[in-house]
Structures are given as C-alpha cells and as structure tokens.
Amino acid sequence: MREVTVYRSVYTEDRFEQHFGRSPGEDRASAGSWKQLVGRSCACSGNAWRRSVRARVPCLSWLPRYKFKRWLTGDIIAGLTVGIIHIPQGMAFALLTSVAPIYGLYTSFFPVMLYIFFGTGRHVSTGTFAGISLMTGSIVERLVPHRWNVTSLEDPELEKQRISVASAVAFLSGLMMICMFVLQLGFLSTYLSDPIVKAFTSGTAFHVTISQLNTMLGLQLPRFAGPFTIFKTLASVLGALSATNIVELIISLICLCVLIPTKELSSRFRERFRAPIPIEVVMIIVATAVTFATSLDECCNVQVVGHIPAGFPKPQLPALGSIPSIIGDTIAITFVSYAVSVSLAMLYADKHRYKIDPNQELLAHGISNTISSLFTCFPSSASLATSSILESTGSSTQLAGFFTCLVVLVVLLLIGPLFYSLPKAVLACINVTSLRQMFLQFQDLPELWRVSKMDFTVWVVTWLAVIILNADLGLAVGVVFSMMTVICRTQSCQSWTNGTLSRLPWGAGELSSHVDLGPGGIEHFRCVFQFGLEVKKRRDFVP
C-alpha cells in the first residue's frame, strides 16, 4: 500500500490575499453578496412552499382526507349540540362583558368559523368563555362606566362605546398572539401550569357568581373593578337588599331550581344520552314567552334583553384610541386565553392520540380575535364546557364547528329578534349554572395533595390571590409564586445515599443522577447538576 504525503503552507486570510490577490469579478460579487444572501435565505422549493402553506392552514391537510362515512355523523351531532349551547351561553357571557347580548352571538360565530381553517385541535370549541368575559368586562366598566340614568337616545351610543372598547381588547389580544407566533413563543404557556390554570378558573367562577347577584335580584348597582372586587360587590348587594325586585327574584329561583337538577341528571346519565339535555334553550323559550304574554317588563319593571337586530354587523374598526389604556389588562387576557385553549387542545389530543402545534394555536386564536374584532366581537378562547360536550357527543374533526356556526347563523338571521322579552335574570342564572365544572375542581384537591404538596400549595395560593385581589392580579401572583417554587427546588435539591462511593468508573464529564456501585449499593440524586456538586465534595472521590 503506497502512502501519499501532501505538504501545504498555512495561510492566514491576509497572507492569502497578498500572495494570490483577488479575482477580477470578486469585488463585484462582494458588492452584491448581501442580495444573494437574502435571495438564498428566502428561496424554497415548490414542495417546501406547499408544506409551509399546509402547516399554516391545517384544513388543507385534514379536509382532503376527511372520512365522510366514519366521521360526518358524529361531527353533525356534536356541532349542532354545541351550537344550541352556544346560543344561551353567548348571550349570557355578553352580560359578563358588559355589552348587549347580540355581541355574544357574534362572538359565538366568527371565531368558531375562523378556527376551523387555522386551528389544530379537533375537539376544541372556541367562542365565549366566562373568565375572559369577566376580565374584559372589568376593562369596559373602567373605561365606559354604566350610567343608570341615561335616556333612550343616549343608551345606543353608550352601547357602541362599550363594544368598541371590548373589540379593541380582542384586536390587541389577537395582535399579541400573532406576534408571539412570529417569535415562536408558544413555549410560554408552560409557565401557566395545570394547578395555576385550574385555580384561576375556579377563582373566576366565584367572581362570576358574585357579579351576577345584582341581576338575579333585579338591583341596579355599579360594577366594581380592581382588588377586593368580590367583597365590594357583596357589600353593595347586601346594602341594597331592600330594593330587590321580587318578581325577578322569583324568576331566578325558578330557573335555578330547574337548571341545577337537570344539569346534574344530564351529567350522571351522560352514557345513556348521546347529547346533553338543552335545558338552557328550553328555559329561554319559556321565560321569553311568559314575559311577553304577561308584560312583566312593563308592569313589574323586569329587566329584559331588548332589541336584537337580525343579520350581520357591518365591519368597523374598534376603539384604537383606547389601546394605551388597556395594554396591561390585555396581556393577562392573552396569556389566560392561550393557556386555557392550549391546555384543552393538548388534553384531548393526548386522549385521542394526535398532535397539536402550540405555535399554530397562537396563529389560529390570533387571527380569530383580530378579524372577529372588526365585526364587533369581544375576546374569545376555547371553552371548557362546550369543548367537553363536543368531545363527548362524538366529534372527530374541526368540521363540527361548521355545523355549530349554522345553528348560530339561523338565530342571527331569523330568530334573534324574538328574544326581545327574555329576562336578564334568566341569563344570569345560566351564567352561574354553567360554572359547574369549575366549582367541581375542588374535588381534585385531595388527590393533588397526595401527588404533590408543592402543586397543592401553588393551587391554593393562586386561588386565594384571585379571590382576594382580582383575576389578573391573582394570576400574576400565581405565576410568580410557581416560578419561585421551581427556583427554590432547583437550588436546594436533596440526595439519598444507599451505599458508599469509592471510585467513579467514568470521567468527570459523564456524571449521572444514578450511580451503580455494584455490591456497595446505589447513590441517587434528584438533580443531575446537583449530583456533580455532591460528588466533588466527597473525600473518597478519585478523578
């Protein structure tokens, strides 16, 4: 075998240029090098471009492969069922947002339709959500406070101002999500752990319940915002109990006595019924008919929904001038909306063995909120109750959202004006009873205590902060406290020794958290990095 030896001189860049010089065209090439660099970075093949488009618009991937015989029936049943639930919940959650009920129906239509094209969660139902509506309503009340002594001519103008502010929150929240998508910040949802999200939703359930007391009692009271909101509202309600409207109190008691047992029966016999009992729709129809027939709004001063226009709203820009005043609150709304939506999407994706893209979910909800805000919608997100119903009634793909939109569309175009005489107390009762799942999260606390006492502490601290302070401040306290627990645990790791360490059979750069010492035993460290520090402290360590 022959050997070939090659000897070459070693050049630096300066010596190479001095010895050989530069080619005649190199100067011209270097002048346009930045253009070539940009061109190469932006160039892609046809296949890569098509894959990128399908990744950004997921419906182009799953819709051509849709299995009509296997999936269509389930999607139709699930979509129609959720659509029926969206009607009362949309109007009820609009009251939480401090806007007219019609805007809740808009928010139950436009975001759902947009998510079909851009979302990756097959069992996620978007639309109105109690926690997001409550936080948005606090902003609306702070910037456009309700005035009970306004005239009928001033009231429509006041409603326009209020929905403009709520739409501005949705617009800014959508832009934030799109910016987070561009920066690939989907991982930020990990800072909102499962105990934080559950404690937040349980705490907001109490806020929603307390905020609906004045409507259920027929009281005209101002809505409070900021810390200690629950206590201020309770004090205001207790001070005005003598002004309770007895008729509205009776309506509320009848609704609660019907809604609560029916929902409990529907939950217990879920396996026997393919779809839940639409008791909310039944209550709305009956209450509207009784109020209209007896003229309770005129003779007993019962607060009713009022005029609901038929058709679609005209596109219009939200109140962009209010954006500087809502940035801080909108950041909290954005994180809560994204965390709840991604948590639900990942929950059902793991259950049905498919994957979602957290960054694509940012784009989907960002586009949904941004475009919907142009049609007088307030912020939307995935809903716990309707997502559970969607999955349990047999939904298989995002196409179920299309049939949900059909139901809401019929109400918007034809049936909406018939709800003029619907008492607001009925919607308040629907708000309260729809929070059943959030209140039942307290049942998970004993199991959480057994699994992780630290997570239990995070849950309790977050819940107390949400109750005492407010939704946004409580969420911030929960996130900071959770991060502090992580930092403390990583800085003070514990170790347990089951044997005597003699000599490591590997180099110092190959440390592991489990050391097998053969007959001497096993030494186990919880943190790999802490293991290296502990080993170096040992006197019998021989490198």
Side-chain angles (χ1 to χ4, degrees):
M1 180 178 180
R2 296 182 179 181
E3 295 183 359
V4 178
T5 304
V6 179
Y7 295 96
R8 293 175 177 171
S9 301
V10 178
Y11 291 95
T12 63
E13 185 177 356
D14 294 334
R15 286 188 59 195
F16 184 87
E17 291 183 357
Q18 291 175 1
H19 191 274
F20 295 99
R22 308 181 77 174
S23 60
E26 189 172 353
D27 293 330
R28 294 191 300 270
S30 61
S33 60
W34 67 273
K35 295 182 179 179
Q36 296 175 2
L37 180 62
V38 172
R40 286 195 300 269
S41 62
C42 296
C44 67
S45 63
N47 290 332
W49 183 83
R50 284 190 290 270
R51 285 196 301 269
S52 178
V53 172
R54 284 197 296 267
R56 300 288 76 86
V57 189
C59 69
L60 298 178
S61 297
W62 60 263
L63 193 56
R65 298 195 297 266
Y66 190 84
K67 300 177 181 178
F68 285 90
K69 293 183 178 179
R70 183 178 177 183
W71 295 339
L72 185 59
T73 302
D75 284 344
I76 292 176
I77 295 175
L80 296 179
T81 303
V82 172
I84 293 173
I85 302 298
H86 263 306
I87 296 168
Q89 283 196 0
M91 293 191 292
F93 289 162
L95 295 183
L96 292 178
T97 317
S98 296
V99 296
I102 183 62
Y103 301 116
L105 295 178
Y106 295 154
T107 309
S108 299
F109 178 81
F110 290 102
V112 178
M113 181 60 71
L114 291 168
Y115 187 82
I116 296 173
F117 299 99
F118 300 101
T120 58
R122 303 177 189 174
H123 302 86
V124 173
S125 174
T126 58
T128 56
F129 179 58
I132 302 300
S133 298
L134 182 68
M135 297 172 71
T136 307
S138 299
I139 302 175
V140 173
E141 288 290 342
R142 175 167 55 86
L143 298 181
V144 190
H146 194 88
R147 300 190 298 271
W148 297 104
N149 57 347
V150 296
T151 63
S152 59
L153 295 177
E154 293 173 336
D155 191 64
E157 184 62 29
L158 186 66
E159 286 294 340
K160 290 182 180 179
Q161 295 177 13
R162 295 165 80 85
I163 190 56
S164 295
V165 172
S167 298
V169 176
F171 181 80
L172 183 58
S173 177
L175 287 183
M176 288 181 178
M177 289 186 184
I178 294 175
C179 291
M180 291 171 64
F181 163 76
V182 173
L183 298 175
Q184 298 291 286
L185 297 180
F187 68 92
L188 291 178
S189 63
T190 57
Y191 291 102
L192 293 176
S193 60
D194 192 56
I196 293 178
V197 174
K198 288 186 175 181
F200 172 80
T201 54
S202 296
T204 54
F206 279 87
H207 278 276
V208 171
T209 302
I210 299 300
S211 68
Q212 297 302 292
L213 288 178
N214 57 347
T215 305
M216 296 168 64
L217 297 175
L219 302 175
Q220 295 184 350
L221 301 174
R223 184 168 172 176
F224 298 95
F228 312 108
T229 299
I230 283 184
F231 308 104
K232 294 177 183 177
T233 304
L234 281 176
S236 177
V237 171
L238 292 176
L241 280 179
S242 58
T244 300
N245 189 318
I246 302 300
V247 177
E248 291 195 79
L249 175 60
I250 295 174
I251 292 174
S252 300
L253 291 176
I254 293 175
C255 288
L256 292 177
C257 291
V258 174
L259 289 172
I260 293 176
T262 306
K263 280 181 168 290
E264 190 66 27
L265 289 174
S266 180
S267 176
R268 290 191 177 186
F269 297 98
R270 181 183 303 176
E271 297 179 355
R272 298 186 180 182
F273 300 108
R274 180 68 184 273
I277 302 173
I279 187 61
E280 295 92 346
V281 177
V282 175
M283 288 301 303
I284 285 179
I285 295 174
V286 173
T288 303
V290 172
T291 305
F292 175 78
T294 57
S295 300
L296 291 178
D297 55 330
E298 298 177 0
C299 64
C300 300
N301 199 25
V302 172
Q303 300 179 50
V304 296
V305 168
H307 176 63
I308 296 181
F312 286 105
K314 295 181 180 179
Q316 61 182 33
L317 286 175
L320 301 180
S322 62
I323 287 181
S325 304
I326 63 177
I327 290 179
D329 299 295
T330 305
I331 292 175
I333 290 175
T334 302
F335 273 92
V336 171
S337 173
Y338 176 62
V340 171
S341 301
V342 172
S343 299
L344 282 174
M346 294 180 67
L347 174 66
Y348 293 117
D350 292 340
K351 182 177 180 180
H352 295 274
R353 298 181 181 179
Y354 64 88
K355 294 182 179 180
I356 67 162
D357 184 356
N359 286 302
Q360 179 62 26
E361 289 296 296
L362 275 174
L363 179 63
H365 290 286
I367 292 176
S368 297
N369 279 286
T370 303
I371 297 180
S372 298
S373 67
L374 304 178
F375 295 92
T376 60
C377 295
F378 51 84
S380 63
S381 73
S383 172
L384 297 174
T386 54
S387 295
S388 176
I389 294 172
L390 189 72
E391 189 267 343
S392 62
T393 50
S395 171
S396 299
T397 66
Q398 296 91 318
L399 190 63
F402 173 75
F403 300 102
T404 298
C405 291
L406 287 181
V407 177
V408 181
L409 181 64
V410 171
V411 176
L412 286 174
L413 297 180
L414 302 174
I415 305 177
L418 300 179
F419 294 130
Y420 179 93
S421 301
L422 173 62
K424 289 185 178 181
V426 176
L427 296 180
C429 294
I430 292 175
N431 269 334
V432 173
T433 56
S434 66
L435 304 173
R436 177 181 177 275
Q437 285 183 313
M438 299 183 188
F439 286 117
L440 290 179
Q441 290 178 352
F442 283 96
Q443 297 178 353
D444 300 334
L445 289 181
E447 181 66 21
L448 186 61
W449 172 263
R450 288 191 293 269
V451 173
S452 174
K453 293 179 175 58
M454 188 61 68
D455 287 344
F456 176 87
T457 306
V458 171
W459 196 102
V460 173
V461 170
T462 305
W463 185 85
L464 289 175
V466 171
I467 292 294
I468 297 174
L469 300 177
N470 206 354
D472 48 358
L473 293 177
L475 178 66
V477 170
V479 171
V480 172
F481 181 79
S482 178
M483 294 177 66
M484 292 299 297
T485 60
V486 173
I487 293 174
C488 292
R489 280 183 283 182
T490 55
Q491 294 298 317
S492 58
C493 298
Q494 297 178 354
S495 61
W496 295 268
T497 303
N498 297 325
T500 303
L501 181 64
S502 58
R503 178 183 175 87
L504 287 177
W506 46 68
E510 299 177 31
L511 297 176
S512 173
S513 60
H514 294 77
V515 184
D516 189 354
L517 302 176
I522 296 175
E523 186 156 330
H524 173 258
F525 291 90
R526 180 176 292 180
C527 180
V528 174
F529 305 104
Q530 186 72 12
F531 169 73
L533 298 176
E534 294 289 338
V535 167
K536 290 181 180 179
K537 295 178 184 177
R538 302 292 292 266
R539 294 180 179 180
D540 50 358
F541 170 64
V542 182

